[in-house]
Amino acid sequence: MFVRRKKRFKDGKEHRSWSVVENCRVRGGQVVQRHILYLGEINDSQPAAWCRAIEVLEGRSGSRQVALFPEDRQ
């Protein structure tokens, strides 16, 4: 899984939306991308946080424990 950015221009302004996507192999060996979760327009620090969360969910973070929802935020 990974985080994908999509840009579009509307009314002369650039809008960036984000999604969580995974690669899937289908019959015939072809690889397609499957949309998992739409995140919408998020700020500049949140894509990195989503990448860390994906690493934790997939078990790529090793044995370290990571808080998905830090206690200092409400």
Side-chain angles (χ1 to χ4, degrees):
M1 284 192 282
F2 59 94
V3 179
R4 179 190 329 171
R5 178 184 71 186
K6 185 164 184 131
K7 288 198 271 186
R8 86 176 222 188
F9 290 92
K10 181 178 177 184
D11 298 328
K13 292 171 43 178
E14 179 185 67
H15 295 272
R16 295 179 296 164
S17 61
W18 298 81
S19 297
V20 177
V21 178
E22 76 174 347
N23 290 332
C24 297
R25 191 170 299 277
V26 295
R27 190 179 320 164
Q30 186 179 15
V31 177
V32 297
Q33 293 183 341
R34 187 172 81 158
H35 176 85
I36 303 295
L37 177 67
Y38 177 72
L39 302 173
E41 292 190 31
I42 56 179
N43 64 31
D44 292 339
S45 65
Q46 288 176 322
W50 275 102
C51 289
R52 286 193 304 274
I54 290 169
E55 287 177 4
V56 170
L57 292 174
E58 290 186 332
R60 291 186 289 175
S61 63
S63 61
R64 70 183 174 118
Q65 187 173 4
V66 178
L68 292 177
F69 304 103
E71 294 177 8
D72 62 340
R73 295 184 186 167
Q74 296 191 5

